[in-house]
Amino acid sequence: MSAETASTYALPVLTPAFGVASASTVLGAIRYAGRHREPHDDAGYPELTVQLVRDDADAFTEVWHTSGEVERGSRDGVVYAHDGEHFFAAGHVREARGYTDAIATAYLTALDLARSHGYHRMFRVWNYLHRINGRNAEGLEIYRDFCLGRAIAFDRAGLGAGDLPAATGVGSLGGGIAFCFLATRSGHSLNIENTRQVPAYRYPRRYGPRPPGFARATWLSDSGHIYVSGTASIVGHRTVHPGRVDRQCREALANIAHVIGAENLAAHGLTDGRTPRDLRNVKVYVREHADLAQVREICAEALAPDCAVAYFTTDICRSDLLVEIEGIAMTPA
């Protein structure tokens, strides 16, 4: 893992940054560290600590700042904060032989907290799964086990296909399953699909008892930014270019370029098409350490020179996927 720069982005209200600022301005934080820790608020704000680097010397914290007055709390292991317009929550399920029921419970707790405070529009989620491609006690892949629990929670919460947020689901280096999300109170959100891909929530049963529950991207009205989900080398619903990290990386970038491009946005009723050079707060997940240099070179060609990029070496949601990329497509100037 490495963070190429240490920049603070001028996002309205929420500011993701590779660094920690005054606790009074923090809505929530995700720390990428050499060991996991259950969600906590020891620093005066909710923080999710994910084991996603191998050496604590490489650890860094992504901070979501706010200009509003923050209220914070916790319930049943979920820590949260809100500022009247945005809500941050983080939860965790400990290492187990199976995850379906525990994930459903933890997700429902977090969703109930958001809704009880008036935040009904979840627009961005991150999920980190130890042994993501491993098997649970019943032989089901852990990612599919997780997807089943998440689907149960969404069903019970009454969330349909149009309510599914942008999301990332990648491996972690330890610590069970952790997740966090952002929700908005009055801001309108619009979920965006990619015509090159089958919507994840419509994947055939070959991908598990319940399909992954997320949109390819989510546009948020208060900023106009597009939150791009973790994106990989998938066309239709199939992995393409197996074994070729260079082609998979370029295919992932092509999927991002399409989902935020003018033609696809127009089909969703939006204007102001964007390109990968409009991405900020980019994270790139690479399965094999030996592939990092090649992935860096390809991404450097596609992204803006001043774009902050964090690279992680970790497993991805399918065993034949070698790279996954996410980011925020900023509003054009």
Side-chain angles (χ1 to χ4, degrees), residues 25-50:
T25 71
V26 176
L27 187 72
I30 310 169
R31 181 161 180 77
Y32 303 98
R35 54 184 175 179
H36 77 276
R37 185 180 176 190
E38 297 200 5
H40 59 91
D41 55 6
D42 294 357
Y45 51 82
E47 180 177 282
L48 180 67
T49 302
V50 183

Side-chain angles (χ1 to χ4, degrees), residues 122-270:
M122 181 169 53
F123 64 89
R124 190 60 170 94
V125 185
W126 291 267
N127 305 285
Y128 307 96
L129 292 72
H130 184 219
R131 298 180 56 244
I132 189 170
N133 305 129
R135 302 282 171 172
N136 69 9
E138 297 178 351
L140 182 66
E141 186 185 49
I142 287 174
Y143 180 63
R144 299 180 182 188
D145 188 2
F146 161 80
C147 286
L148 178 57
R150 175 175 58 180
I152 291 170
F154 284 174
D155 288 348
R156 292 177 180 171
L159 297 179
D163 304 311
L164 301 180
T168 296
V170 293
S172 69
L173 305 181
I177 297 178
F179 67 91
C180 61
F181 69 77
L182 290 162
T184 182
R185 172 174 280 168
S186 61
H188 175 63
S189 61
L190 177 67
N191 296 331
I192 302 170
E193 292 300 329
N194 186 339
T195 56
R196 301 181 80 233
Q197 299 175 304
V198 174
Y201 54 82
R202 293 180 179 166
Y203 279 179
R205 192 172 175 82
R206 62 183 284 191
Y207 297 104
R210 293 292 298 271
F214 67 92
R216 300 298 179 186
T218 299
W219 171 83
L220 199 62
S221 64
D222 61 4
S223 63
H225 300 327
I226 299 172
Y227 294 80
V228 179
S229 295
T231 304
S233 180
I234 296 172
V235 176
H237 58 75
R238 293 182 172 86
T239 299
V240 296
H241 315 305
R244 291 293 304 269
V245 70
D246 55 337
R247 293 185 179 181
Q248 285 203 11
C249 187
R250 289 189 173 94
E251 196 71 65
L253 289 164
N255 274 328
I256 291 175
H258 181 79
V259 81
I260 64 176
E263 181 179 356
N264 194 58
L265 293 187
H268 290 79
L270 299 175

Side-chain angles (χ1 to χ4, degrees), residues 71-155:
E71 295 184 17
R72 304 178 176 92
S74 64
R75 182 199 295 172
D76 298 333
V78 174
V79 295
Y80 67 91
H82 61 101
D83 65 357
E85 187 53 45
H86 295 94
F87 184 97
F88 175 92
H92 175 256
V93 173
R94 294 178 180 176
E95 204 84 36
R97 292 168 57 83
Y99 291 100
T100 297
D101 293 341
I103 284 295
T105 298
Y107 250 83
L108 277 171
T109 297
L111 287 168
D112 287 346
L113 278 167
R115 290 181 169 190
S116 69
H117 288 86
Y119 301 87
H120 294 273
R121 299 176 182 88
M122 181 169 53
F123 64 89
R124 190 60 170 94
V125 185
W126 291 267
N127 305 285
Y128 307 96
L129 292 72
H130 184 219
R131 298 180 56 244
I132 189 170
N133 305 129
R135 302 282 171 172
N136 69 9
E138 297 178 351
L140 182 66
E141 186 185 49
I142 287 174
Y143 180 63
R144 299 180 182 188
D145 188 2
F146 161 80
C147 286
L148 178 57
R150 175 175 58 180
I152 291 170
F154 284 174
D155 288 348

Side-chain angles (χ1 to χ4, degrees), residues 1 33-34 51-58 173 287 312-314:
M1 188 289 301
Q51 187 175 352
L52 211 58
V53 302
R54 287 169 170 78
D55 188 336
D56 265 332
D58 293 325
L173 305 181
R287 183 177 291 274
F312 301 94
T313 303
T314 191

